[in-house]
């Protein structure tokens, strides 16, 4: 009998792991702000893009106003008008917020390009959070407990509760931990650092960026 090793499902990821793996893959394709500036920065182009986006904002606002005006003059049924009003606002506001966020983003890129990046101690960027999440969790956990390889992950005595046999598991692919013992604690690397060093979210991210 022939065994087809390539069909072996032993290593297949479960549903949750698949989503995590896909997200990690997508993140790896994303450029950092600095890389985007280096690749695409052109003073004029940024300027034109900014004007275009600002015009979009004006148009979206006008469109919302027009639609609401039409509603007021043409739909007399109160209930129907309310449903349509909610629909118009929810769908258009989203577009408006996205456009406004793009304008803010362009502004940030220009500041980065100008080298005027002010390090604000009370803020982190999305890139900071992404980078913090990529620090290998086993590296941090090793400071608290001895880990040994177990399948594709790591096991060790739980750093959150007293125990004699290991029930603390790390999944390196999702960079998350799970205690199968008494405390049942679980989370990602940011949760771990927050809890073990007694930090709030931003200081935890900043600490991870030093690794
Ligand atoms: Zn535990």
């Amino acid at each position: 009998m022939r065994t087809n090793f390539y069909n072996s499902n032993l290593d297949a990821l479960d549903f949750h792991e698949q989503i995590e793996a896909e997200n990690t893959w997508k993140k790896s394709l994303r450029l950092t702000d600095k890389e985007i500036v280096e690749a695409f920065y052109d003073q004029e182009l940024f300027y034109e893009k900014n004007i275009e986006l600002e015009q979009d904002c004006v148009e979206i606002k006008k469109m919302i106003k027009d639609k609401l005006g039409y509603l007021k003059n043409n739909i007399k049924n109160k209930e129907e008008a309310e449903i349509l009003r909610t629909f118009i606002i929810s769908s258009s506001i989203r577009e408006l917020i996205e456009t406004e966020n793009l304008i803010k983003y362009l502004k940030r890129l220009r500041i980065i390009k100008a080298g005027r990046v002010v390090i604000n101690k009370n803020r982190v960027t999305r890139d900071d959070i992404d980078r913090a999440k990529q620090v290998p969790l086993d590296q941090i956990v090793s400071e608290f407990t001895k880990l040994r390889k177990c399948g594709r992950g790591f096991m060790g005595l739980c750093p959150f509760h007293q125990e004699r046999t290991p029930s603390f598991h790390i999944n390196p692919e999702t960079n998350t931990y799970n205690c199968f013992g008494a405390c049942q604690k679980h989370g990602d690397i940011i949760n771990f650092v927050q809890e073990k060093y007694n930090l709030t979210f931003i200081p935890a991210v900043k600490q991870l960026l030093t690794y």
Side-chain angles (χ1 to χ4, degrees):
M1 201 177 86
R2 269 182 68 206
T3 313
N4 188 348
F5 289 103
Y6 298 102
N7 268 342
S8 159
N9 251 335
L10 286 176
D11 272 340
L13 303 174
D14 68 26
F15 181 67
H16 177 69
E17 286 174 329
Q18 275 182 47
I19 290 176
E20 287 284 344
E22 192 179 337
N23 284 341
T24 308
W25 168 71
K26 277 185 190 155
K27 262 184 217 155
S28 73
L29 298 176
R30 215 163 70 201
L31 298 176
T32 64
D33 289 350
K34 266 211 174 96
E35 285 166 337
I36 289 173
V37 167
E38 268 151 33
F40 302 112
Y41 190 84
D42 175 312
Q43 181 92 26
E44 211 145 290
L45 193 135
F46 271 43
Y47 182 69
E48 279 168 17
K49 194 76 208 166
N50 199 43
I51 291 177
E52 184 192 313
L53 289 169
E54 272 168 4
Q55 277 168 354
D56 286 350
C57 281
V58 172
E59 270 162 38
I60 296 166
K61 281 178 194 162
K62 188 177 172 297
M63 189 185 71
I64 297 174
K65 217 176 147 192
D66 287 350
K67 281 184 182 170
L68 292 177
Y70 177 86
L71 208 66
K72 203 178 165 198
N73 297 326
N74 295 282
I75 310 290
K76 297 300 170 199
N77 180 310
K78 243 183 160 182
E79 230 168 274
E80 194 186 341
E82 189 52 38
I83 292 169
L84 285 169
R85 196 175 161 273
T86 311
F87 176 74
I88 290 166
I89 290 177
S90 64
S91 57
S92 309
I93 290 283
R94 193 193 160 90
E95 201 185 341
L96 187 62
I97 290 171
E98 275 167 10
T99 311
E100 281 174 344
N101 280 344
L102 271 173
I103 293 174
K104 279 187 211 151
Y105 181 60
L106 275 187
K107 205 169 166 185
R108 204 169 91 219
L109 291 180
R110 278 208 302 273
I111 291 171
I112 291 172
K113 177 63 184 176
R116 283 187 284 115
V117 184
V118 181
I119 297 169
N120 185 335
K121 282 189 175 168
N122 297 315
R123 284 190 60 187
V124 287
T125 65
R126 252 176 295 145
D127 282 333
D128 290 338
I129 298 168
D130 285 348
R131 273 194 291 135
K133 280 186 171 173
Q134 276 158 23
V135 175
L137 182 56
D138 57 283
Q139 189 188 327
I140 308 286
V141 174
S142 296
E143 292 171 13
F144 297 94
T145 185
K146 196 169 181 277
L147 292 171
R148 63 181 168 82
K149 199 98 179 98
C150 177
R152 288 183 295 146
F154 297 93
M155 285 293 284
L157 292 175
C158 179
F160 295 114
H161 81 274
Q162 289 286 329
E163 61 181 1
R164 283 187 312 265
T165 57
S167 46
F168 187 82
H169 180 258
I170 291 175
N171 180 342
E173 282 181 35
T174 55
N175 222 22
T176 54
Y177 62 92
N178 234 298
C179 173
F180 299 105
C183 78
Q184 304 262 310
K185 286 195 172 157
H186 55 88
D188 69 2
I189 191 159
I190 297 175
N191 298 130
F192 187 87
V193 169
Q194 272 189 274
E195 177 130 15
K196 282 312 277 185
Y197 292 97
N198 195 19
L199 295 172
T200 53
F201 180 73
I202 290 168
V205 170
K206 289 197 175 284
Q207 168 148 338
L208 281 165
L209 294 177
T210 65
Y211 280 88

